[in-house]
Amino acid sequence: MESRRSFLLKSSAIIIFSLAPGCSAITMSQRTFAPMKTMQPKRALMLWYSQTGNTRRNGRLIAKVWEKHGLQVDALDIRKCEKPSMDQYDLIMIGSPVYYYDVPDNVKDWLSSIPRIDGTPVASYTTFGGKGSNQHNTACQLLELLAEKGGVPVGVASFGNMSTFAPEWSWSEDFAKRVLQYKHLPNKATYEKVREYASAVISHVRDGKSHEINKELSFGDIKKYIASAKVNKLLIGKHTIDESKCVECGTCSDVCPVGAIVPSLHRVDTNRCIACMGCVNNCPENAVDMEYMGKKVYGFLEFMERNNIKIEEPKERIGKIH
C-alpha cells in the first residue's frame, strides 16, 4: 500500500507538471524613477545566469546588437562579474531562466549583494520552456531588483525555448512528447525578437524614456509557492555522483550555482542543493545519479542526443563575446 508521504509527493509532482500557464490581467506596480545618469551610453554590461545555454545565447546576441550600435560591451555570466565595477557602466541588462515560476534564489541573492548603480539604465529578460508560466512577472522581478539598487528601468522581455527541466522528460513518454512540441525553439523568429528588444532598449536610453514595471495578475505568482525549489527537493529521492562513470571533469561543480558538488569526492551536498538540475543536465558522462519520484533522471545533453535535436544558433558570429 502506498504511504501517505508517497501519495502527497506524487500529487505534488503531477501538480508541478500539469499547472497551466498564468494569465495576464492588470497592472500591478507603477512608480517614478530617478533621471538617467546619461542618455548617450558608451559602455554596457550584459549579464546572465544560464545552465543549458538558452539565456546565455540570447545575452550574447544582445551584446552583439549593442556593439553594432557603437557600444563597448562586456558580456558574461553573473558569477564572473566584478560587482564593484558595476557602477562604471552606462547600461546594464540581466537575463535569467524562469525556475519554478520565479527568479532563481541564487540570482536573487546575487542581485541583493551588488553595489548601488544609481541613475544607470537597466533592463531584464527571462527565458522559459514550452508555453511557459509567469515569465513576464519573473522578468519584472529581475528589473525590480535592479531598480532597488538605483537602476532606471528601460526594458523587459521574455524569450521562449524548449523546456530544460530534466524530470519532465524523464517522468514519462507523454511528458517527453510535451517537451518535444517546442524542440524548434529557439528559432530565427526568436532571435529576431531578441535583436528588436536589444535595439529598443538602446532607443529608450537615448530618448531618456524609462519603462514602468507593469506586473500582471498571474496564477504563476501562486504556483511558485506550490511548485517551489523546496518542494521539488522533496521529490528528489537520490542525488549522488556515480564514481564508476565520473571522469572528474568538473563540469557539474562549474555549473552548480551554490557550490554543492565536490567531484573529487563524488559527493553532492543535498542540503545546499537548490534543485536547479544544472549538474544532471550538463554532465557529459551521465555520471550524476538522480532519481525524481523514484524515476531515473537523465539530462539535457542526453535528451537532445536521443531525439536528434540541434539548437539553432543566431546568424551573428559571437565568438568574441565572453
Side-chain angles (χ1 to χ4, degrees):
M1 181 178 291
E2 188 173 50
S3 70
R4 174 181 172 83
R5 183 176 185 272
S6 177
F7 172 77
L8 290 173
L9 290 177
K10 286 185 178 179
S11 298
S12 298
I14 292 171
I15 291 172
I16 289 167
F17 289 141
S18 63
L19 284 171
C23 58
S24 59
I26 60 174
T27 294
M28 296 296 288
S29 76
Q30 293 182 351
R31 53 176 162 160
T32 303
F33 299 96
M36 296 179 197
K37 65 181 182 182
T38 180
M39 292 169 57
Q40 297 299 322
K42 295 181 179 179
R43 192 177 179 202
L45 178 63
M46 176 66 249
L47 296 170
W48 58 73
Y49 168 63
S50 183
Q51 290 288 51
T52 54
N54 289 306
T55 311
R56 177 178 64 249
R57 190 176 291 106
N58 291 332
R60 286 156 63 96
L61 178 54
I62 288 169
K64 293 305 292 185
V65 173
W66 284 357
E67 286 183 345
K68 291 179 181 179
H69 281 275
L71 275 66
Q72 176 187 341
V73 186
D74 291 327
L76 62 160
D77 188 290
I78 60 173
R79 292 165 285 189
K80 297 181 180 179
C81 176
E82 296 181 4
K83 299 176 188 176
S85 67
M86 289 182 67
D87 64 348
Q88 300 175 17
Y89 292 92
D90 303 321
L91 171 62
I92 298 173
M93 184 185 292
I94 185 168
S96 170
V98 179
Y99 276 4
Y100 308 117
Y101 309 96
D102 200 1
V103 176
D105 287 343
N106 59 295
V107 176
K108 292 179 187 176
D109 292 342
W110 189 89
L111 285 169
S112 70
S113 69
I114 67 174
R116 298 289 302 179
I117 49 173
D118 294 301
T120 303
V122 293
S124 68
Y125 71 90
T126 53
T127 54
F128 61 94
K131 292 182 179 179
S133 184
N134 216 39
Q135 60 266 24
H136 174 74
N137 283 3
T138 301
C140 285
Q141 187 177 0
L142 279 173
L143 201 55
E144 284 181 337
L145 291 169
L146 288 169
E148 287 173 3
K149 294 294 183 174
V152 183
V154 292
V156 63
S158 296
F159 309 110
N161 47 252
M162 183 179 67
S163 172
T164 61
F165 188 56
E168 188 169 8
W169 56 69
S170 302
W171 181 258
S172 72
E173 289 186 6
D174 287 340
F175 285 122
K177 288 177 181 178
R178 188 169 77 175
V179 173
L180 289 170
Q181 291 179 39
Y182 303 94
K183 67 180 181 180
H184 62 289
L185 297 177
N187 57 14
K188 289 182 174 63
T190 306
Y191 296 136
E192 185 56 32
K193 183 180 177 183
V194 173
R195 294 185 194 96
E196 290 173 356
Y197 175 57
S199 295
V201 166
I202 294 295
S203 296
H204 291 165
V205 176
R206 290 173 175 168
D207 292 340
K209 182 181 178 182
S210 62
H211 184 92
E212 292 179 344
I213 303 177
N214 297 328
K215 282 191 172 181
E216 301 169 338
L217 180 62
S218 169
F219 287 120
D221 282 326
I222 298 174
K223 296 174 188 175
K224 68 183 182 183
Y225 297 107
I226 300 173
S228 68
K230 290 182 180 179
V231 170
N232 275 269
K233 282 185 66 172
L234 293 175
L235 304 177
I236 298 174
K238 184 179 183 181
H239 190 183
T240 61
I241 305 296
D242 187 337
E243 188 172 354
S244 67
K245 294 182 179 179
C246 179
V247 296
E248 297 185 17
C249 65
T251 299
C252 56
S253 58
D254 288 343
V255 300
C256 180
V258 292
I261 304 178
V262 184
S264 61
L265 299 178
H266 306 103
R267 187 182 70 191
V268 178
D269 185 340
T270 54
N271 290 325
R272 184 177 292 182
C273 172
I274 58 172
C276 73
M277 305 296 162
C279 58
V280 70
N281 272 335
N282 289 282
C283 179
E285 303 296 329
N286 300 313
V288 178
D289 191 1
M290 177 186 288
E291 290 182 1
Y292 186 96
M293 287 304 301
K295 296 279 189 177
K296 172 71 174 176
V297 176
Y298 64 96
F300 187 61
L301 297 180
E302 184 176 344
F303 182 68
M304 290 199 297
E305 184 177 351
R306 288 187 186 188
N307 293 282
N308 195 29
I309 298 170
K310 185 176 181 180
I311 297 176
E312 182 172 343
E313 298 288 341
K315 64 182 181 180
E316 287 83 352
R317 299 177 65 87
I318 55 179
K320 293 184 180 181
I321 300 295
H322 295 289

